[in-house]
Amino acid sequence: MSRVIHFEIPAVKPERAVEFYKKAFGWKIEKWAGPMDYWNITTGGAKEPGIDGAIMSVDGAIKQVVNTIGVENLAAAAKKIIAAGGKRISPDQAVPGIGYFAYFADTEGNPFGLMQNDPNAK
């Protein structure tokens, strides 16, 4: 069974959103060293219930909060989503050192991400 493993919060001004979530909830937020404007969020300790997420620049295709679901095989999961009536929003993307990712939408138009873990992704 696949689970929600990550969330993303889009922001017009990511630095402003970072300060809000730090002050409002005490979250630890750090800018990702990768090639895009992306801020990783730690919402609590590793042994506490819950998931971590990120704040991302709103300049992409996604303009609302998105949950990411972990899958074993991105291609196989994509086929199931399409067969169930969903649609692809973005092509597969490599996240170096983390895995492969793509955005989809359900039958109601709600976006979500899929992440296939692969530390060898380039």
Side-chain angles (χ1 to χ4, degrees):
M1 188 178 315
S2 299
R3 298 187 70 177
V4 175
I5 60 168
H6 185 79
F7 64 85
E8 292 177 321
I9 300 170
V12 173
K13 295 184 178 180
E15 290 86 356
R16 179 177 63 191
V18 164
E19 289 309 309
F20 169 79
Y21 285 101
K22 281 181 175 180
K23 289 178 184 174
F25 300 109
W27 291 350
K28 179 182 172 186
I29 305 174
E30 298 177 327
K31 186 153 181 25
W32 182 49
M36 59 189 282
D37 193 17
Y38 203 80
W39 301 77
N40 289 313
I41 300 171
T42 302
T43 63
K47 295 185 178 186
E48 296 177 51
I51 61 173
D52 295 328
I55 294 171
M56 62 182 190
S57 178
V58 83
D59 61 357
I62 303 300
K63 310 237 185 286
Q64 64 216 61
V65 174
V66 172
N67 289 309
T68 297
I69 300 164
V71 296
E72 288 185 31
N73 183 296
L74 184 56
K79 286 180 184 177
K80 285 183 177 181
I81 289 164
I82 303 304
K87 67 179 184 177
R88 179 182 282 275
I89 296 176
S90 76
D92 293 354
Q93 306 167 44
V95 181
I98 296 176
Y100 298 95
F101 179 84
Y103 288 112
F104 295 84
D106 67 15
T107 55
E108 310 312 303
N110 298 303
F112 60 92
L114 293 184
M115 173 62 76
Q116 174 186 323
N117 184 38
D118 184 347
N120 297 316
K122 296 177 183 175

